[in-house]
């Protein structure tokens, strides 16, 4: 795990494998960003000219390496692009700093220590740079041989020292502590998402949650197959019944003695989704280990809230199942009686996420929280609508939907508010049951949201995050986002908890 520290040391005298500086894209070429003054001085004030000669422009994500000046204890200077130069009297945004730090940290894989001399105006900037560096340094190596003679890659950057930080300042220390806690838990979520499904079935996921809960003082309850049958959780059982690895419903409860508000987070946790009897075609099932990304995000957010000691009660519900075809699997045309008592005609067993979420939403509603937020890799339709980097937000309250959107944008998670048109409900009418699990083809992401709304308790504020697009990055890494599991929605959920704790969210 990459370590994060604050340092008042000057860049020339700091022992490190590299010094990272920022460079912005100016009207006439690259411009050295604040924080790198000592480095620029060692190049006789001509660092920007040197970088320009080497082809650097300052564009976001650009990396240029050059030998450090004489007298530096670090052998290399790494210049990372911050993007457009801010207007006069403005500073670099938090997301620009996160992305630049993430690119630099990933570039320096294999190094033991790097000093980051990026622009720091206040503690928030230090937190953003630290978070970006810790997320960018992430590497999933559990199944690889890593070492000098290995061909599979390098170990993550060992330590990030933030130059310009204030090690004794309370705000700076808090910013670094927050960045560390959130990033470590988000990276834990990434590990879960990237773990092959033969090693992460519902029981194994539940065991990971139990261990983390015990470590951080979180109350945990795990409902196994017998408990789910006794409780009447027909949705979760209907999805998991076809697998030899039985389903689980995990409840994580973090409480603060001074809390006056209660948030419930609900996560879809399909540890592998074959589609069930409605089998996915080849080309659509190879990455379906990521279909538990919502549950991973909820798990990580609850643990992060506990580590930060937030003054809010947070309950996390992980609806875990493996969707497999077999002689015992649910068939298209079967009717399930859900935990709420409603009956659902299953027209497509590959629309399973909404079934497990429905049971968990109703269970969460029973505790009358101030708000519920569910997170799920729910529909391909949302990917078609918003692409691979933006998730959709639906809600039964417009003001709450806006608040969730603002929180997502604040932490750098691209999201977009989506409607829940009532006319689409007609497509889910069933001649056999109270509702069908499928509706109109067009607007499928909205139909799924409308289905979930049916299982939210009356009078409870609710939002649904469909993270199908950004949850798993099949392309190359960018910014602080790696290839594979991304941990999308963790930071949004943590921010919602923080805002609720200080009374700024409802």
């Amino acid at each position: 795990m990459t370590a994060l520290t604050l340092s008042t040391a000057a860049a020339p005298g700091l022992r490190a494998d590299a010094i990272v500086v920022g460079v912005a894209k100016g009207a006439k070429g690259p411009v050295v960003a604040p924080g790198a003054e000592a480095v620029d001085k060692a190049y006789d004030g001509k660092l920007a000219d040197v970088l320009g000669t080497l082809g650097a422009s300052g564009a976001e994500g650009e990396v240029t390496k050059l030998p450090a000046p004489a007298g530096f204890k670090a052998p290399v200077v790494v210049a990372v692009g911050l993007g457009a130069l801010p207007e006069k009297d403005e500073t670099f945004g938090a997301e620009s700093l996160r992305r630049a730090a993430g690119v630099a940290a990933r570039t320096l894989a294999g190094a033991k220590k790097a000093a980051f001399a990026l622009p720091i105006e206040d503690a928030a900037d230090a937190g953003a740079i630290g978070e970006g560096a810790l997320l960018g340094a992430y590497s999933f190596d559990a199944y690889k041989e890593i070492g000098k003679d290995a061909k599979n890659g390098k170990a993550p950057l060992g330590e990030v020292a933030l130059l310009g930080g204030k090690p004794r300042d309370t705000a700076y220390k808090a910013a670094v502590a927050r960045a560390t806690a959130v990033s470590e838990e988000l990276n834990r979520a990434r590990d879960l998402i990237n773990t092959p499904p033969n090693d992460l079935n519902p029981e194994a996921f539940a065991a990971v949650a139990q261990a983390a809960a015990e470590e951080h003082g979180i109350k945990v309850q795990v409902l196994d197959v017998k408990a789910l049958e006794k409780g009447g959780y027909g949705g979760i059982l209907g999805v998991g019944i076809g697998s030899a690895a039985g389903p689980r419903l995990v409840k994580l409860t973090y409480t603060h003695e001074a809390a006056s508000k209660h948030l419930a987070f609900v996560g879809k946790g399909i540890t592998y989704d074959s589609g069930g009897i409605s089998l996915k075609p080849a080309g659509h099932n190879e990455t379906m280990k990521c279909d538990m990304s919502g549950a991973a995000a909820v798990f990580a957010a609850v643990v992060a809230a506990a580590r930060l000691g937030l003054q809010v009660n947070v309950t996390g519900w992980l609806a875990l199942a493996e969707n497999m075809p077999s002689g015992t699997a649910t068939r298209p045309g079967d009717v399930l009686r859900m935990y709420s008592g409603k009956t659902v005609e299953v027209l497509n067993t590959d629309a399973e996420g909404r079934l497990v979420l429905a049971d968990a939403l109703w269970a969460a509603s029973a505790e009358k929280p101030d708000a519920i937020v569910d997170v799920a890799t729910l529909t391909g339709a949302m990917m078609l609508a918003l692409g691979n980097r933006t998730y959709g937000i639906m809600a039964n309250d417009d003001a709450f939907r806006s608040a969730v959107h603002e929180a997502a944008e604040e932490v750098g998670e691209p999201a977009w508010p989506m409607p829940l048109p009532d006319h689409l409900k007609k497509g889910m009418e069933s001649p056999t049951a109270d509702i069908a699990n499928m509706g109109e083809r067009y607007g499928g992401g909205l139909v799924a949201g409308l289905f979930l709304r049916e299982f939210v308790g009356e009078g409870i504020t609710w939002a649904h995050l469909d993270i199908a697009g950004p949850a798993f990055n099949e392309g190359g890494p960018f910014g602080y986002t790696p290839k594979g599991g991304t941990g999308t929605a963790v930071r949004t959920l943590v921010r919602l908890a923080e805002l609720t704790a200080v009374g700024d969210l409802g």
Side-chain angles (χ1 to χ4, degrees), residues 102 139 142 157 200 224 234 256 319 388:
S139 179
L157 173 62
L200 190 77
D224 60 13
H256 190 287
N388 292 326

Side-chain angles (χ1 to χ4, degrees), residues 7-22:
S7 175
T8 57
L14 188 66
R15 293 187 182 278
D17 295 297
I19 305 292
V20 176
V21 300

